[in-house]
Amino acid sequence: MAHILLAEDEPVLRMLIGDTLEDEGHQLDIACDGEEALQRIEQYHYDLIILDYMMPKLTGYEVLLHIKQIPERGSCKIMILSAKSQHAEQEKMRAAGADAFIPKPFSPMELVRVVEDMLS
């Protein structure tokens, strides 16, 4: 069982992803925006952080940059979810330290597969 933070501003998608990952046995914390995500990251250690690219207050990209500046959090696995699926955006996220990029829309089974691969 992994401890995962999901930062997603869309309530329906939060529920879908949350239910999917909890059904797989993972412990899940939720953040509704980038600022809340950073607060949680500063308080807890996560095995995986899933960030929506476009969130209010701080984007997933901005949160990613902050995470990589926190030495004890920099080794955490990070996945970006985004409707911006252009190759340049994916490369930008990977260059900043993202371990995986999943374009929206995606299937719950694809998400589970990528999460399990990242955690193994």
Side-chain angles (χ1 to χ4, degrees):
M1 176 174 82
H3 192 192
I4 299 173
L5 173 65
L6 169 63
E8 169 63 60
D9 62 319
E10 293 289 328
V12 172
L13 201 47
R14 266 196 321 266
M15 184 180 70
L16 172 69
I17 295 169
D19 289 350
T20 300
L21 294 176
E22 286 175 342
D23 287 348
E24 294 295 315
H26 300 296
Q27 178 184 349
L28 198 70
D29 288 348
I30 303 288
C32 298
D33 60 54
E35 199 171 88
E36 184 180 355
L38 269 185
Q39 290 170 355
R40 290 188 171 276
I41 291 162
E42 290 171 358
Q43 293 177 337
Y44 304 103
H45 174 76
Y46 294 99
D47 300 303
L48 173 63
I49 299 171
I50 301 173
L51 300 170
D52 179 23
Y53 181 74
M54 299 299 294
M55 290 186 291
K57 298 185 181 173
L58 291 172
T59 67
Y61 178 70
E62 292 168 321
V63 173
L64 174 61
L65 294 177
H66 283 287
I67 292 168
K68 291 304 178 179
Q69 293 176 0
I70 305 170
E72 63 274 11
R73 301 294 185 261
S75 63
C76 172
K77 298 287 186 183
I78 300 171
M79 175 191 299
I80 302 290
L81 306 174
S82 180
K84 290 184 155 201
S85 59
Q86 296 87 354
H87 183 71
E89 289 298 322
Q90 291 182 33
E91 288 304 311
K92 176 181 172 182
M93 296 299 116
R94 290 188 202 295
D99 299 291
F101 183 97
I102 297 183
K104 293 179 182 177
F106 54 85
S107 76
M109 294 310 293
E110 176 187 11
L111 177 71
V112 167
R113 182 188 58 76
V114 174
V115 165
E116 295 306 323
D117 285 350
M118 292 178 76
L119 294 173
S120 62

